[in-house]
Amino acid sequence: MEKPKVATTSLAGCFGCHMSLLDIDERILQLIDLVDFNKSPINDIKTFTARCAVGLIEGGCCNEENVHVLQLFREHCDILISVGDCATMGGIPAWRNTLPLKECLDEAYLNGPTVHNPSGLIPNDPELPLILNKVYPCHEVVKIDYFIPGCPPSADALWAALTALLSGKPVDLPYELLKYD
Amino acid sequence: MSEFENTIHTICESYGGDRARMMDIVRDVHEKYGCCSGKAMNLIARGTGAHRVEVQSVVTFYAFYSEKPKGRVVIRLCNDIVDTMFGIEHVARAFSEELGIGFGETTADGRFTLEYTPCIGMSDQAPAALINEVVVTSLSSDSVRGIVRTLRESGDPQKLVRRLGDGNNAHKLVRAMVQNGLRKKGPVVFAEMESGNALRKALALSPVEVIRDIKTARLRGRGGAGFPAGMKWEFTRAADGDRKFVMCNADEGEPGTFKDRVILTERADLMLEGMAIAGYAIGAQEGIIYLRGEYAYLRKFLENVIENRRRDGFLGKDILGKKGFHFDVRIQLGAGAYVCGEETALISSCEGLRGDPKTRPPFPAQKGYLEQPTVVNNVETFCCVARILEKGPGWFVEMGSKGSPGTKVLSISGDCNSPGVYEFPMGVTMAEVLREAGADDVQAVQVGGPSREIVGPEGFERVICFDDLATGGAIVILNSSRNITEMARKYMDFFVEESCGYCTPCRVGNVLMMKKLEDILDGKGQLSDLDYLHDLAETVKTASRCGLGQASPNPILTTLERFRPFYEKLLRTHPKNFDPSFDLRAAVAEAEGLVGRKSAAIET
Ligand SMILES: Cc1cc2nc3c(=O)[nH]c(=O)nc-3n(C[C@H](O)[C@H](O)[C@H](O)COP(=O)(O)O)c2cc1C
Ligand code: SF4
Ligand code: SF4
Ligand code: FES
């Protein structure tokens, strides 16, 4: 039987959630027995080559490219999971949501104490995706099926969620796996 | 000392420098200067020994207080749903045009400020507005032009009152254009009364016997929740305290409720008699009437009623000759905060704090005002108390239903021929209420205000009482032309505005619910949004600290349950499972402006 396929991506995240996924340690061998990875930074496959059972999303959407990638994931995956606080509610990047976009860009590119920018311009290369008016959690952009909170969620939580999903069992994350203080 | 310092100092002194009287101090400063500036706050802090931030937290919490100067005339137009049903947009536009300012703005000459406010308790005379303390009712775009002209000429809102209302609205200490609209007098609250009768009978009993009578009458609180009054009194009587207090909840903020206004206007004596009986029963010597700021026009009148009762020996020392029974009351004015109707928030407000509800336990019966055992009851409840003592609990329980004896005063507004105040026996069916109010085209009735429920025709055989259709008195009737989902949105907006902000489920959850609702109303909702609303509503209900948050999802929950097709017809399904409310073009527009190029990625 063909193995189910999993895709992952990091949008406006820090890759910490991906690192946490790698923290499942030797269980990664089991995981590879269970699934094939499709588009993912883990294997550096850049484009979807097949329909996937599960898509893991790290990070929310802070620019238009994030939106396109997320929509692409929605189109290619049966189940989408928001992994980590950035994906579920914007997380740290969403702190900027309390400030006008112009102030953020001015601080980053013009006025910040460590900025050296003699041109006085805000970067504007057509290659650069345009930044959104605010950082959106994933579920405000596409339908998300599951949410795993944590910054990052622990390897055990990710493992428990993934294996349950892949074996068709209900996802039941005990309190200890979601408790962070 | 400058004159300014002097004035503030004198104001603080007039309340003995007591920081618990912060509401009054800030109010007096407003009356004098139109705002409570940073400088004034410093001086108040000094004059009362409060921290500056405590003064500021009061000034910024209440809608009627302000740090920044407002116009000498502040026009607060009620924009609750009944007003929107009766043409508020024309009235609002007329005010804006005549004054040349938008809502939330002050004219350049500092004369006028224009604002919206939630229900001011005049729903049967909507659209209505508060102009400083003066109530103006039945507004139209024509009357607005006259109003603004008069105000420009005289600057005195009282000049707007040309024809006085009925009953005590015409009393020389009230002089309001407000109408009682009292259409049905019942035997408990609105029957004729003679002061002293009930009190005399109470004083012939022991306090324990008085409480026993209230319990035998199975009296339940009329403010909405229906808690057994006798039990509350018993707890308070039994609690230890150096002082005890009786508080009358005259905050009446639940949109669509205005029955306490009419009781205060016509039966203040009965209410005060009930308060004194409560004082006797629980062993309290002090009472406070918490009067909502919107009803400030009744203050002088009520003070006069109190004064007369002192003169007649119904208040004060050794009441009716009973040695050692002393009881007196004062009025505490609120300042435009709905949450202050919640009894622990009401106590906070009386203590000179922000109107934050308190964590329970301890309950007010153990630790209430100034940490002392306190009974809080509704205006109407105290009227029932007096009548029960006057006529006996046996008489009382013969009326009404088994679980809710007696009568209930309803305030009926919206789409009916005879809006106004009705005293019905408890247990009356909704159909009967609608019939008497002359409502023949009824799509739905909002019972008990946004905190309670919306009822469609399938529920018109249900009965008004605490075990079925519980209500503090609000009945708002909606005919078939009214938009149910839009009403839910307005009510959510109300809760978002009025949340005290203490707990996250209420402060944030209501905003999230409202945003989702707005998406749906904008045609950007999807089927799963209804589940989302439902789940979030349950979270807010269970995780909120006080009754406001616990009730705030009800406009959504009860309309979803009973008027689901109204939502469903607005929903969309996106073929690719994208969220229909997300608009990429709008989300990049700002960045496009800032960097000076269009997104290449979005197909136009
Ligand atoms: C947000 C909120 C607002 C309230 N507003 C009022 C009010 O305006 N008048 C009132 O009598 N009770 C109001 N209540 C109920 C009071 O907390 C309290 O139950 C009532 O005053 C007790 O008196 P009763 O037992 O005589 O009804 C409100 C409750 C909540 C949660
Ligand atoms: S949730 Fe935490 S670990 Fe994951 S991407 Fe965001 S910041 Fe990084
Ligand atoms: S439920 Fe709302 S109003 Fe009540 S305490 Fe919490 S935040 Fe304040
Ligand atoms: S006064 Fe406007 S709805 Fe009550």
Side-chain angles (χ1 to χ4, degrees):
Chain A
M1 200 183 81
E2 220 185 312
K3 286 189 273 182
K5 297 185 179 56
V6 173
T8 78
T9 186
S10 175
L11 307 175
C14 75
F15 265 97
C17 289
H18 273 84
M19 299 313 280
S20 193
L21 181 60
L22 296 181
D23 263 351
I24 58 176
D25 299 330
E26 73 284 358
R27 283 172 293 186
I28 194 123
L29 298 174
Q30 266 172 280
L31 186 61
I32 299 193
D33 281 340
L34 276 173
V35 302
D36 280 334
F37 276 91
N38 202 268
K39 177 174 162 61
S40 167
I42 293 176
N43 53 18
D44 213 20
I45 296 182
K46 306 275 194 216
T47 51
F48 278 103
T49 55
R51 182 148 193 93
C52 294
V54 180
L56 301 178
I57 314 288
E58 166 189 318
C61 293
C62 79
N63 63 33
E64 54 179 339
E65 194 223 356
N66 295 154
V67 173
H68 289 304
V69 173
L70 182 57
Q71 291 179 337
L72 203 63
F73 265 70
R74 183 68 272 178
E75 287 179 76
H76 285 88
C77 302
D78 297 338
I79 291 172
L80 277 194
I81 309 181
S82 273
V83 176
D85 290 347
C86 294
T88 37
M89 50 197 179
I92 290 173
W95 282 5
R96 79 157 161 98
N97 290 3
T98 55
L99 300 170
L101 184 56
K102 181 167 186 338
E103 260 177 53
C104 295
L105 293 175
D106 286 353
E107 182 69 13
Y109 296 112
L110 305 177
N111 305 331
T114 57
V115 172
H116 175 71
N117 178 5
S119 77
L121 292 176
I122 289 174
N124 157 16
D125 190 289
E127 284 289 296
L128 293 173
L130 287 173
I131 199 159
L132 305 182
N133 58 340
K134 60 173 192 166
V135 177
Y136 293 79
C138 294
H139 66 272
E140 288 187 9
V141 177
V142 301
K143 173 170 190 267
I144 297 290
D145 303 284
Y146 295 97
F147 301 84
I148 309 179
C151 179
S154 69
D156 288 340
L158 292 172
W159 176 253
L162 257 184
T163 46
L165 265 180
L166 291 168
S167 57
K169 297 203 188 95
V171 186
D172 176 25
L173 294 178
Y175 177 64
E176 300 73 54
L177 280 187
L178 296 176
K179 180 174 172 292
Y180 292 96
D181 53 359
Chain B
M1 258 200 259
S2 72
E3 193 186 320
F4 182 69
E5 286 172 327
N6 240 328
T7 310
I8 306 258
H9 181 77
T10 314
I11 290 174
C12 292
E13 282 300 290
S14 69
Y15 297 99
D18 182 0
R19 45 158 306 179
R21 301 301 295 273
M22 193 63 75
M23 289 293 284
D24 305 279
I25 294 170
V26 172
R27 188 181 176 90
D28 287 0
V29 172
H30 269 81
E31 256 163 38
K32 195 90 191 146
Y33 300 106
C35 68
C36 192
S37 64
K39 244 165 80 187
M41 289 193 265
N42 287 339
L43 293 167
I44 295 174
R46 206 183 305 154
T48 57
H51 291 293
R52 150 76 198 231
V53 66
E54 292 170 317
V55 185
Q56 185 160 8
S57 70
V58 168
V59 173
T60 52
F61 184 85
Y62 296 91
F64 290 2
Y65 296 156
S66 158
E67 218 176 311
K68 296 209 189 72
K70 289 197 177 170
R72 285 189 291 286
V73 174
V74 181
I75 300 171
R76 296 188 169 94
L77 179 62
C78 167
N79 65 343
D80 231 296
I81 68 152
V82 183
D83 303 73
T84 47
M85 284 157 63
F86 295 110
I88 194 204
E89 75 272 18
H90 305 293
V91 174
R93 197 171 328 115
F95 269 123
S96 262
E97 279 169 14
E98 291 298 309
L99 295 169
I101 50 173
F103 280 76
E105 293 176 5
T106 300
T107 52
D109 60 6
R111 288 187 73 186
F112 296 98
T113 296
L114 195 52
E115 292 178 354
Y116 283 121
T117 191
C119 182
I120 58 172
M122 303 290 158
S123 325
D124 58 338
Q125 299 153 61
L130 268 181
I131 302 187
N132 292 350
E133 287 184 3
V134 174
V135 179
V136 290
T137 57
S138 306
L139 295 168
S140 65
S141 43
D142 282 347
S143 65
V144 166
R145 290 178 223 291
I147 285 171
V148 173
R149 201 177 324 115
T150 308
L151 288 172
R152 278 200 201 287
E153 279 160 16
S154 71
D156 175 11
Q158 189 59 42
K159 291 258 178 346
L160 300 170
V161 182
R162 299 229 164 81
R163 198 189 294 152
L164 297 176
D166 56 344
N168 284 330
N169 290 302
H171 189 283
K172 65 178 189 306
L173 293 173
V174 183
R175 301 192 60 76
M177 67 166 78
V178 178
Q179 296 287 347
N180 285 329
L182 181 48
R183 295 182 187 267
K184 188 180 177 73
K185 294 187 179 183
V188 178
V189 177
F190 287 112
E192 294 305 313
M193 74 147 320
E194 197 177 317
S195 286
N197 272 353
L199 192 52
R200 229 170 258 118
K201 292 201 174 151
L203 296 186
L205 303 173
S206 74
V208 173
E209 286 168 330
V210 171
I211 295 180
R212 190 204 55 206
D213 274 5
I214 299 301
K215 288 176 83 172
T216 312
R218 300 196 301 278
L219 174 63
R220 299 174 67 171
R222 266 33 180 176
F227 190 82
M231 202 193 292
K232 193 187 275 188
W233 289 18
E234 203 164 55
F235 291 150
T236 318
R237 176 166 179 81
D240 283 333
D242 308 329
R243 296 155 80 187
K244 290 184 183 174
F245 295 95
V246 174
M247 289 198 166
C248 175
N249 190 341
D251 198 48
E252 192 158 66
E254 191 69 41
T257 318
F258 48 87
K259 50 107 188 166
D260 288 341
R261 158 175 58 81
V262 180
I263 300 177
L264 291 163
T265 309
E266 298 302 330
R267 287 293 176 272
D269 269 304
L270 191 64
M271 174 192 84
L272 282 158
E273 189 129 340
M275 285 183 76
I277 293 169
Y280 177 67
I282 67 161
Q285 304 199 341
E286 294 158 85
I288 298 179
I289 301 169
Y290 191 88
L291 182 66
R292 69 184 308 212
E294 290 81 350
Y295 295 168
Y297 73 97
L298 290 171
R299 178 195 197 161
K300 286 207 183 84
F301 168 74
L302 290 172
E303 273 167 353
N304 184 249
V305 176
I306 293 169
E307 194 47 50
N308 290 342
R309 290 184 70 83
R310 286 191 192 114
R311 185 199 60 208
D312 297 338
F314 304 135
L315 285 174
K317 296 228 178 294
D318 300 323
I319 289 175
L320 291 176
K322 181 103 177 170
K323 280 276 166 280
F325 173 46
H326 315 312
F327 186 76
D328 212 332
V329 299
R330 72 169 172 93
I331 293 173
Q332 177 67 62
L333 268 180
Y338 163 68
V339 70
C340 287
E342 195 282 336
E343 57 185 8
T344 59
L346 180 142
I347 289 169
S348 298
S349 185
C350 289
E351 290 170 340
L353 306 170
R354 282 167 50 102
D356 286 337
K358 296 175 193 264
T359 305
R360 279 156 291 192
F363 289 90
Q366 284 116 35
K367 275 189 184 196
Y369 180 58
L370 305 177
E371 307 259 287
Q372 303 296 325
T374 302
V375 150
V376 184
N377 277 126
N378 173 255
V379 171
E380 185 184 346
T381 311
F382 285 118
C383 293
C384 296
V385 162
R387 214 58 101 167
I388 288 166
L389 267 295
E390 181 192 343
K391 306 238 174 165
W395 171 84
F396 191 77
V397 295
E398 269 171 28
M399 293 170 284
S401 66
K402 186 147 191 343
S404 311
T407 61
K408 184 75 195 85
V409 183
L410 301 180
S411 23
I412 302 180
S413 63
D415 295 309
C416 60
N417 294 327
S418 312
V421 171
Y422 294 72
E423 184 179 355
F424 279 104
M426 284 277 194
V428 64
T429 62
M430 185 43 84
E432 175 63 16
V433 170
L434 292 173
R435 201 185 56 73
E436 288 216 27
D440 23 60
D441 170 15
V442 186
Q443 174 181 208
V445 185
Q446 183 73 32
V447 182
S451 295
R452 291 285 171 167
E453 57 185 305
I454 190 163
V455 179
E458 67 288 349
F460 291 172
E461 284 310 314
R462 296 176 60 189
V463 298
I464 303 280
C465 71
F466 292 112
D467 305 311
D468 190 359
L469 282 177
T471 169
I475 304 282
V476 175
I477 302 168
L478 308 169
N479 71 21
S480 49
S481 74
R482 306 301 177 187
N483 183 337
I484 302 279
T485 43
E486 176 56 25
M487 185 206 66
R489 190 192 65 75
K490 273 203 88 75
Y491 278 156
M492 287 315 291
D493 188 40
F494 168 74
F495 285 125
V496 166
E497 281 296 314
E498 298 297 329
S499 164
C500 85
Y502 180 93
C503 41
T504 313
C506 171
R507 183 187 64 242
V508 178
N510 282 319
V511 174
L512 291 178
M513 276 190 286
M514 191 165 91
K515 281 193 176 158
K516 189 50 82 188
L517 189 59
E518 282 177 340
D519 283 344
I520 294 174
L521 297 190
D522 284 353
K524 292 189 261 171
Q526 47 187 343
L527 191 60
S528 61
D529 288 343
L530 299 190
D531 292 336
Y532 168 86
L533 279 177
H534 207 275
D535 289 352
L536 192 53
E538 288 304 329
T539 305
V540 172
K541 266 174 112 85
T542 30
S544 288
R545 184 167 72 145
C546 87
L548 189 151
Q550 287 155 14
S552 59
N554 283 344
I556 289 185
L557 281 179
T558 63
T559 50
L560 262 182
E561 183 192 321
R562 295 172 193 161
F563 293 87
R564 201 176 170 92
F566 284 72
Y567 289 95
E568 283 172 345
K569 72 171 186 230
L570 296 169
L571 300 176
R572 289 188 8 196
T573 41
H574 192 285
K576 295 179 175 173
N577 265 333
F578 296 174
D579 192 312
S581 72
F582 182 75
D583 179 353
L584 182 55
R585 182 143 288 282
V588 295
E590 204 178 338
E592 287 178 331
L594 289 172
V595 300
R597 72 177 156 90
K598 287 278 172 200
S599 163
I602 307 175
E603 316 94 61
T604 39

